[in-house]
Amino acid sequence: MSGQKLLFDCGPATTHKLVKAGISPTEVDDVFFTHHHFDHDSDFPTFILTRWDQNIPVDRPLNVYGPLLTDRFTNGIIDEDTGLFAHDWLARVHHPASQATYQARGGQLPRRKPNVVVREIGPGDVVDGDGWRVIASHAEHVQPYLDSLAYRVEAEGRSIVLTGDTRPCSSITELARGADVLMMMCWETHARMSDNEELSASSSIRGAAQTAAEAGAKQLVMVHVGPRLREPKMAAARDAEAAEVFDGQVVWGEEMMEIALA
Ligand SMILES: [Zn+2]
């Protein structure tokens, strides 16, 4: 697993944030999508094309995994005949000036098109990598409009579960059983979300904390946190709601945060 990087979802500015964090897109060979809401996938054209453009002189395939629509979405970006960005890579492959730039970076002609391998997966599917594996499970979000998956990453005897967007459900609890880290969507307080339909598609503080408690997860990382909960004045209240049902460590995720496995 050493040195390998897996990317889960690719929402707005992901490529920019990766570079800001000191990670080149060329270091990532495996991308997993939880679902295809734009806040989880809209930076993928930038990611694919930057990785392809800079992946010199090595040409490793980009493996893309995700639920239904992942193939149509990915090939909708790069397919030679129908992809919205095919004109870009075709111009870079064929124009002499672009070829010269490519060679100056160490590339050898003829330049190859983006090498992207898509595999649509579903609950129970397992992706085996070099020293790691990723298990997919069902997430309950906005079906039947979009399929959603959650993932459990296992490597070197450790485990991290990323729920994507979901409401609490048994498949998530089972996936998170005994996990070292559960990264779960947490949008608002339970009381606020009980006033409307949001609980049918998303998780509250209490929902995430209850899932972590029932699964026996060691650490709960709240992600996809709603704007009101990120206000400083909400710090005590959000901690208190989580602590009502989960006595493990709770981390409130923020942009660019790095979390070391304890
Ligand atoms: Zn969503």
Side-chain angles (χ1 to χ4, degrees):
M1 182 68 205
S2 178
Q4 295 178 66
K5 296 179 176 65
L6 312 181
L7 178 64
F8 290 84
D9 288 340
C10 195
T14 292
T15 310
H16 174 76
K17 291 176 196 171
L18 276 177
V19 173
K20 214 170 151 186
I23 299 168
S24 166
T26 60
E27 296 175 60
V28 179
D29 293 341
D30 299 278
V31 178
F32 294 80
F33 283 106
T34 60
H35 64 302
H36 288 286
H37 268 147
F38 84 89
D39 54 323
H40 293 254
D41 69 11
S42 64
D43 200 51
F44 204 40
T46 304
F47 179 83
I48 288 187
L49 289 162
T50 304
R51 181 187 179 280
W52 169 75
D53 198 36
Q54 301 295 322
N55 202 8
I56 306 236
V58 185
D59 181 23
R60 298 185 313 272
L62 176 66
N63 303 303
V64 184
Y65 307 94
L68 203 65
L69 286 178
T70 299
D71 189 32
R72 196 175 93 186
F73 176 73
T74 304
N75 280 303
I77 297 166
I78 54 149
D79 182 83
E80 184 164 356
D81 299 317
T82 58
L84 273 176
F85 288 83
H87 57 269
D88 180 284
W89 67 256
L90 281 164
R92 291 178 199 275
V93 163
H94 294 294
H95 195 280
S98 300
Q99 291 174 342
T101 306
Y102 173 69
Q103 286 176 298
R105 278 205 301 264
Q108 290 189 330
L109 299 178
R111 191 172 190 184
R112 290 157 67 181
K113 65 184 193 179
N115 185 359
V116 181
V117 181
V118 184
R119 182 178 152 201
E120 289 191 348
I121 56 177
D125 283 341
V126 177
V127 177
D128 279 306
D130 180 11
W132 55 265
R133 69 175 190 159
V134 172
I135 303 157
S137 190
H138 174 73
E140 292 186 11
H141 189 35
V142 292
Q143 286 91 341
Y145 300 100
L146 292 176
D147 276 356
S148 287
L149 295 174
Y151 296 108
R152 180 182 179 112
V153 188
E154 296 182 338
E156 299 172 358
R158 313 303 291 275
S159 51
I160 301 170
V161 171
L162 305 99
T163 67
D165 293 357
T166 188
R167 67 178 176 182
C169 57
S170 58
S171 58
I172 297 288
T173 306
E174 286 311 309
L175 189 71
R177 186 73 63 199
D180 289 293
V181 180
L182 169 62
M183 298 183 75
M184 185 146 178
M185 176 200 205
C186 169
W187 183 244
E188 252 294 351
T189 62
H190 199 75
R192 282 251 173 163
M193 292 177 71
S194 301
D195 286 344
N196 55 44
E197 280 296 313
E198 287 180 323
L199 279 179
S200 68
S202 301
S203 177
S204 67
I205 300 173
R206 188 197 299 174
Q210 234 156 20
T211 302
E214 285 168 18
K218 295 181 183 66
Q219 185 184 58
L220 172 61
V221 179
M222 304 292 205
V223 295
H224 211 308
V225 178
R228 200 179 70 97
L229 291 189
R230 296 199 302 271
E231 293 174 14
K233 67 179 182 192
M234 291 300 294
R238 68 186 194 181
D239 282 341
E241 183 169 324
E244 280 172 24
V245 285
F246 180 60
D247 59 8
Q249 190 189 1
V250 177
V251 174
W252 291 87
E254 290 174 15
E255 290 293 316
M256 307 298 296
M257 183 181 259
E258 276 185 39
I259 299 172
L261 270 174

